[in-house]
Amino acid sequence: MKALLTLTCAGQFMVLLDNTIVGAALPDMQQRLHTGLTGLQWIVDAYVLLVAMLLLSGGVFADRFGRRRVFLAGVVVFTAASVVCSLAPSIGWLIAGRVLQGVGAAALSPASLALLAAAYPAPRERVRAIGLWAGFSGIGLAAGPLAGGILVESFGWPAIFLVNVPIGAVLLLAGLRVLGESRNPSAPPIDVPGTVLSAAGVGAVTYGLIEGGSRGWTSPVILGSFAAGLVLLAAFVVVEGRVSTPMLPLRLFRQRLFTVSNTAMVVVGFALMGSSFFFSQFFVYVQGTSILVAGLQTLPVSLAMVIVSPYAGRFAARYGFRVVVSIGLALAGLGLLALGFVHADTGYGNVWWRLAVVGIGFALTSRRAASPRASAAPPGRSARCSAWRCSGRSFTRVSLAEPPSSPASTTLSSRRVP
């Protein structure tokens, strides 16, 4: 069990680290690849766009075709794509590599959580395991800017992708040895209309959000993109409400706990991912620091999340989930509001505490929101419980795959999970 928990947490850590580590390398990429702000946005958002479009489908495929198989396939694709990114000679090749990384992450992330949920059928143990998984997710997001600053300053921007290669190799070799296969033999057939509509709708809306700043928010292309996305997503809701085996059971949103926790993750994901893109630009281009110093200056966010995250579960057990998440959202909001008053001449002594408040708020919210999303899903079925996240100007989702309610509904290979 410990080996499985370690592997799934490490896989999720690698996926989430890649969301923010790129931000620290953007100034170096802009200089060496001779690109503008729009190019930098696509470097960041090509990854999260593919994750947003495919992550829910990745959970469906893991349930149907095998969670171990999909997890390892995601590791292989993600690692190979990281090599492509590190060797990219131009902005086009780099964006193509980021697209492939997104495909790998969309398979790896939901499969890792599905493996974890299936290995811990007892509700209390499962909630603790998912809490640890979520904690590693938050640490991966928070550690990205600092790790990126160190790697870029020492070796250049390709190093932020090469660091994934040894991690991916260890995950693949260890996963082949210790992971047992599990699937839901009664999993419904793939919801092709729902998959196509969700991917196309999210893709259209995200394209408009990415290109709106450069093309103009009232340009026909952007308005058409938003209109098409809203129509496609509305069609998705209608289709999911009528098909017998939807990829996303809409009745889950009738549960207040599930809806509130998903809403919290939307807010946290939007704020955390958007702020990570901003910090690298602000400290380097506005205040004139080096890339390494900029990474160090974001350390209060990382330290606050690392220190507070382990205690979030205890706080929630003592004071209640809603109280802890509400306090976390309030602190994150106040910290971000305070950062809105920072300008070019503001000394770092008047900045670090604002970053720390933001980190504390993120830790209290993100750590506790994952467990209720899992426990709110009805037992006895593989639920695709998605939490929409905004990454800068792109949406991401995290799918939770619930374990079956009885041993008969899960098939395990002859390999035992230690």
Side-chain angles (χ1 to χ4, degrees), residues 207-229:
Y207 177 85
L209 291 172
I210 294 173
E211 291 288 336
S214 58
R215 292 178 177 268
W217 296 105
T218 58
S219 67
V221 173
I222 300 303
L223 293 178
S225 177
F226 284 137

mmCIF file of all heavy atoms in Angstrom, residues 207-229:
data_model
loop_
_atom_site.group_PDB
_atom_site.id
_atom_site.type_symbol
_atom_site.label_atom_id
_atom_site.label_comp_id
_atom_site.label_asym_id
_atom_site.label_seq_id
_atom_site.Cartn_x
_atom_site.Cartn_y
_atom_site.Cartn_z
ATOM 1 N N TYR A 207 -9.714 28.823 -25.780
ATOM 2 C CA TYR A 207 -9.062 29.553 -26.872
ATOM 3 C C TYR A 207 -9.423 31.037 -26.809
ATOM 4 O O TYR A 207 -8.565 31.910 -26.971
ATOM 5 C CB TYR A 207 -9.480 28.965 -28.215
ATOM 6 C CG TYR A 207 -8.910 29.718 -29.398
ATOM 7 C CD1 TYR A 207 -7.634 29.431 -29.882
ATOM 8 C CD2 TYR A 207 -9.644 30.729 -30.023
ATOM 9 C CE1 TYR A 207 -7.108 30.136 -30.956
ATOM 10 C CE2 TYR A 207 -9.122 31.431 -31.099
ATOM 11 C CZ TYR A 207 -7.858 31.133 -31.562
ATOM 12 O OH TYR A 207 -7.333 31.831 -32.632
ATOM 13 N N GLY A 208 -10.692 31.334 -26.563
ATOM 14 C CA GLY A 208 -11.098 32.728 -26.464
ATOM 15 C C GLY A 208 -10.431 33.439 -25.305
ATOM 16 O O GLY A 208 -10.025 34.602 -25.422
ATOM 17 N N LEU A 209 -10.288 32.750 -24.167
ATOM 18 C CA LEU A 209 -9.637 33.362 -23.009
ATOM 19 C C LEU A 209 -8.158 33.616 -23.261
ATOM 20 O O LEU A 209 -7.603 34.615 -22.800
ATOM 21 C CB LEU A 209 -9.817 32.453 -21.792
ATOM 22 C CG LEU A 209 -11.238 32.340 -21.239
ATOM 23 C CD1 LEU A 209 -11.307 31.269 -20.168
ATOM 24 C CD2 LEU A 209 -11.709 33.680 -20.681
ATOM 25 N N ILE A 210 -7.502 32.710 -23.987
ATOM 26 C CA ILE A 210 -6.070 32.869 -24.246
ATOM 27 C C ILE A 210 -5.816 33.988 -25.250
ATOM 28 O O ILE A 210 -4.944 34.839 -25.061
ATOM 29 C CB ILE A 210 -5.470 31.550 -24.757
ATOM 30 C CG1 ILE A 210 -5.517 30.483 -23.658
ATOM 31 C CG2 ILE A 210 -4.028 31.751 -25.227
ATOM 32 C CD1 ILE A 210 -5.094 29.110 -24.135
ATOM 33 N N GLU A 211 -6.578 33.989 -26.344
ATOM 34 C CA GLU A 211 -6.319 34.921 -27.442
ATOM 35 C C GLU A 211 -7.028 36.255 -27.282
ATOM 36 O O GLU A 211 -6.767 37.184 -28.041
ATOM 37 C CB GLU A 211 -6.749 34.280 -28.770
ATOM 38 C CG GLU A 211 -5.885 33.110 -29.203
ATOM 39 C CD GLU A 211 -4.512 33.565 -29.665
ATOM 40 O OE1 GLU A 211 -4.369 34.729 -30.082
ATOM 41 O OE2 GLU A 211 -3.567 32.748 -29.620
ATOM 42 N N GLY A 212 -7.916 36.375 -26.299
ATOM 43 C CA GLY A 212 -8.681 37.605 -26.151
ATOM 44 C C GLY A 212 -7.827 38.825 -25.901
ATOM 45 O O GLY A 212 -8.115 39.919 -26.401
ATOM 46 N N GLY A 213 -6.742 38.660 -25.128
ATOM 47 C CA GLY A 213 -5.891 39.806 -24.825
ATOM 48 C C GLY A 213 -5.172 40.358 -26.032
ATOM 49 O O GLY A 213 -4.965 41.577 -26.141
ATOM 50 N N SER A 214 -4.769 39.476 -26.960
ATOM 51 C CA SER A 214 -4.012 39.939 -28.126
ATOM 52 C C SER A 214 -4.915 40.304 -29.300
ATOM 53 O O SER A 214 -4.639 41.260 -30.030
ATOM 54 C CB SER A 214 -3.021 38.852 -28.568
ATOM 55 O OG SER A 214 -3.703 37.650 -28.875
ATOM 56 N N ARG A 215 -5.995 39.589 -29.502
ATOM 57 C CA ARG A 215 -6.881 39.847 -30.634
ATOM 58 C C ARG A 215 -7.932 40.911 -30.337
ATOM 59 O O ARG A 215 -8.502 41.505 -31.253
ATOM 60 C CB ARG A 215 -7.590 38.555 -31.066
ATOM 61 C CG ARG A 215 -6.663 37.512 -31.688
ATOM 62 C CD ARG A 215 -7.445 36.263 -32.040
ATOM 63 N NE ARG A 215 -6.627 35.268 -32.694
ATOM 64 C CZ ARG A 215 -6.470 35.151 -34.009
ATOM 65 N NH1 ARG A 215 -7.095 35.996 -34.817
ATOM 66 N NH2 ARG A 215 -5.706 34.210 -34.517
ATOM 67 N N GLY A 216 -8.202 41.110 -29.047
ATOM 68 C CA GLY A 216 -9.264 42.035 -28.664
ATOM 69 C C GLY A 216 -10.495 41.270 -28.233
ATOM 70 O O GLY A 216 -10.956 40.371 -28.950
ATOM 71 N N TRP A 217 -11.035 41.646 -27.088
ATOM 72 C CA TRP A 217 -12.153 40.881 -26.524
ATOM 73 C C TRP A 217 -13.434 41.009 -27.333
ATOM 74 O O TRP A 217 -14.343 40.187 -27.180
ATOM 75 C CB TRP A 217 -12.398 41.325 -25.084
ATOM 76 C CG TRP A 217 -11.243 41.024 -24.187
ATOM 77 C CD1 TRP A 217 -10.337 41.913 -23.689
ATOM 78 C CD2 TRP A 217 -10.855 39.735 -23.694
ATOM 79 N NE1 TRP A 217 -9.406 41.259 -22.909
ATOM 80 C CE2 TRP A 217 -9.697 39.920 -22.897
ATOM 81 C CE3 TRP A 217 -11.354 38.446 -23.846
ATOM 82 C CZ2 TRP A 217 -9.044 38.875 -22.263
ATOM 83 C CZ3 TRP A 217 -10.711 37.389 -23.206
ATOM 84 C CH2 TRP A 217 -9.575 37.605 -22.430
ATOM 85 N N THR A 218 -13.528 42.016 -28.156
ATOM 86 C CA THR A 218 -14.739 42.193 -28.965
ATOM 87 C C THR A 218 -14.524 41.806 -30.422
ATOM 88 O O THR A 218 -15.400 42.051 -31.250
ATOM 89 C CB THR A 218 -15.208 43.657 -28.895
ATOM 90 O OG1 THR A 218 -14.156 44.525 -29.361
ATOM 91 C CG2 THR A 218 -15.573 44.039 -27.468
ATOM 92 N N SER A 219 -13.392 41.189 -30.737
ATOM 93 C CA SER A 219 -13.152 40.782 -32.123
ATOM 94 C C SER A 219 -14.085 39.633 -32.486
ATOM 95 O O SER A 219 -14.492 38.832 -31.626
ATOM 96 C CB SER A 219 -11.694 40.353 -32.299
ATOM 97 O OG SER A 219 -11.430 39.162 -31.582
ATOM 98 N N PRO A 220 -14.454 39.502 -33.758
ATOM 99 C CA PRO A 220 -15.381 38.434 -34.169
ATOM 100 C C PRO A 220 -14.877 37.036 -33.828
ATOM 101 O O PRO A 220 -15.668 36.163 -33.460
ATOM 102 C CB PRO A 220 -15.485 38.635 -35.685
ATOM 103 C CG PRO A 220 -15.162 40.080 -35.905
ATOM 104 C CD PRO A 220 -14.135 40.414 -34.874
ATOM 105 N N VAL A 221 -13.555 36.832 -33.945
ATOM 106 C CA VAL A 221 -13.016 35.506 -33.659
ATOM 107 C C VAL A 221 -13.220 35.144 -32.196
ATOM 108 O O VAL A 221 -13.641 34.020 -31.859
ATOM 109 C CB VAL A 221 -11.515 35.452 -34.028
ATOM 110 C CG1 VAL A 221 -10.901 34.121 -33.578
ATOM 111 C CG2 VAL A 221 -11.331 35.626 -35.529
ATOM 112 N N ILE A 222 -12.952 36.083 -31.304
ATOM 113 C CA ILE A 222 -13.072 35.809 -29.873
ATOM 114 C C ILE A 222 -14.529 35.658 -29.471
ATOM 115 O O ILE A 222 -14.894 34.725 -28.740
ATOM 116 C CB ILE A 222 -12.394 36.918 -29.054
ATOM 117 C CG1 ILE A 222 -10.907 37.009 -29.418
ATOM 118 C CG2 ILE A 222 -12.571 36.675 -27.572
ATOM 119 C CD1 ILE A 222 -10.150 35.715 -29.217
ATOM 120 N N LEU A 223 -15.382 36.549 -29.928
ATOM 121 C CA LEU A 223 -16.799 36.436 -29.611
ATOM 122 C C LEU A 223 -17.380 35.142 -30.164
ATOM 123 O O LEU A 223 -18.195 34.476 -29.499
ATOM 124 C CB LEU A 223 -17.556 37.644 -30.166
ATOM 125 C CG LEU A 223 -17.236 39.003 -29.521
ATOM 126 C CD1 LEU A 223 -18.019 40.116 -30.204
ATOM 127 C CD2 LEU A 223 -17.562 38.979 -28.031
ATOM 128 N N GLY A 224 -16.962 34.781 -31.376
ATOM 129 C CA GLY A 224 -17.427 33.525 -31.954
ATOM 130 C C GLY A 224 -16.939 32.324 -31.173
ATOM 131 O O GLY A 224 -17.659 31.329 -31.010
ATOM 132 N N SER A 225 -15.711 32.404 -30.670
ATOM 133 C CA SER A 225 -15.169 31.312 -29.868
ATOM 134 C C SER A 225 -15.955 31.129 -28.580
ATOM 135 O O SER A 225 -16.309 30.002 -28.204
ATOM 136 C CB SER A 225 -13.694 31.589 -29.549
ATOM 137 O OG SER A 225 -13.168 30.581 -28.711
ATOM 138 N N PHE A 226 -16.260 32.236 -27.898
ATOM 139 C CA PHE A 226 -17.051 32.150 -26.676
ATOM 140 C C PHE A 226 -18.456 31.616 -26.956
ATOM 141 O O PHE A 226 -18.978 30.771 -26.222
ATOM 142 C CB PHE A 226 -17.150 33.520 -26.011
ATOM 143 C CG PHE A 226 -15.893 33.939 -25.300
ATOM 144 C CD1 PHE A 226 -15.409 35.235 -25.412
ATOM 145 C CD2 PHE A 226 -15.198 33.040 -24.506
ATOM 146 C CE1 PHE A 226 -14.254 35.627 -24.760
ATOM 147 C CE2 PHE A 226 -14.038 33.425 -23.849
ATOM 148 C CZ PHE A 226 -13.568 34.723 -23.977
ATOM 149 N N ALA A 227 -19.069 32.124 -28.028
ATOM 150 C CA ALA A 227 -20.421 31.678 -28.359
ATOM 151 C C ALA A 227 -20.448 30.189 -28.676
ATOM 152 O O ALA A 227 -21.322 29.450 -28.202
ATOM 153 C CB ALA A 227 -20.954 32.493 -29.541
ATOM 154 N N ALA A 228 -19.480 29.736 -29.465
ATOM 155 C CA ALA A 228 -19.423 28.314 -29.814
ATOM 156 C C ALA A 228 -19.189 27.460 -28.581
ATOM 157 O O ALA A 228 -19.803 26.394 -28.411
ATOM 158 C CB ALA A 228 -18.322 28.079 -30.847
ATOM 159 N N GLY A 229 -18.301 27.920 -27.689
ATOM 160 C CA GLY A 229 -18.027 27.164 -26.481
ATOM 161 C C GLY A 229 -19.247 27.033 -25.594
ATOM 162 O O GLY A 229 -19.542 25.948 -25.074
#
